[in-house]
Amino acid sequence: METLLQVRVAARKVVAEDVVAFEFAPLDGVELPGFEAGAHIDVHVPGGPVRQYSLYQLPDSLPRYCIGVLRDPQSRGGSVRLIDGVKEGDILSISRPRNHFQLHSGPDHAMLFAGGIGITPIMCMAEQLAREGRSFELHYSGRTPARMAFLDRLRSAGFADRVQVHSDDGAADQLLDARAVIGSPVVDRQIYVCGPTGFMDHVLSSARELGWGESHLHREYFAAAPIDHSTDGPFEIELSHSGRCISVKADQSAAQALIDAGVPLSLSCEAGVCGTCQTRVLAGVPDHRDLYLTDEEKHEHFMPCCSRSCTPRLVLDL
Ligand code: FES
């Protein structure tokens, strides 16, 4: 089991309509692990679920973790409990930072696209790229400026001239035209996108239609749309290391069946967006339900927290 970190809520601030930023500081005598842009932490919401939040500010000499939380009444309660229930001085349990959304190393130009609260990892990426003197541009889209967090911070940043803000309620000539911005594929360019599912799908499908390959597309989903389980059936998982077979019932996730059978498996989002539970599949045809794997990765990998099987048996590298 992962060891959790204890942190103190050092600051809590409303940074846009329905968005609150929290700053977590270490308890006395403890140093928080460093991280790179794109990292997220799991926050154990008091009395509630575990939720993932991207870190929006790069660490200075002594890391503090800063997250932005969007009040989402449609969510499973994590954001509302955090915003309404957590105050400065409270102690929270969090995970160490994890990063499934890293910047490519090297001199490639980065095209950063953020939709709404998706600005959190994207702003951190912009800060890192600016610190490293690398080339980038940032496109930040939202419904209205009042709901777009960190606009002031971006406008006063040293890289403000590389930020374009697109608000749905603004003039037609400032709306994001993803196809025009992305253009034809360029070998030394990378595209990074984070935000609501519809926004991300729009940016990614625009890039694909223009001919961009998957290796140039990088994304981080915040939440998955609800998965329809009404047609789920049972299947078996064979563990390649031991040959052991585990039955997955129709009303049970593969991850739950594995954990119940004593197989060590790390879980975080349990919704197919964070990448924590990724395993290799050696035989059988998975029924992929996640948003994390690329089409190419789906040939070899499987997310047991949400995905199932098209064949009676899957063999996993466990
Ligand atoms: Fe997050 Fe499976 S636990 S993708």
Side-chain angles (χ1 to χ4, degrees), residues 274-314:
C274 77
T276 303
C277 67
Q278 183 170 332
T279 56
R280 283 184 69 230
V281 60
L282 303 176
V285 180
D287 175 5
H288 294 289
R289 310 267 182 97
D290 66 279
L291 292 171
Y292 182 77
L293 297 172
T294 63
D295 286 348
E296 205 166 307
E297 290 169 336
K298 282 178 179 166
H299 295 129
E300 271 193 39
H301 296 276
F302 175 71
M303 313 306 279
C305 69
C306 62
S307 295
R308 304 191 68 82
S309 182
C310 300
T311 45
R313 179 175 290 195
L314 281 184

Side-chain angles (χ1 to χ4, degrees), residues 192-208:
Y192 301 85
V193 56
C194 186
T197 307
F199 171 81
M200 296 181 59
D201 290 348
H202 173 62
V203 172
L204 293 169
S205 61
S206 299
R208 290 184 186 115

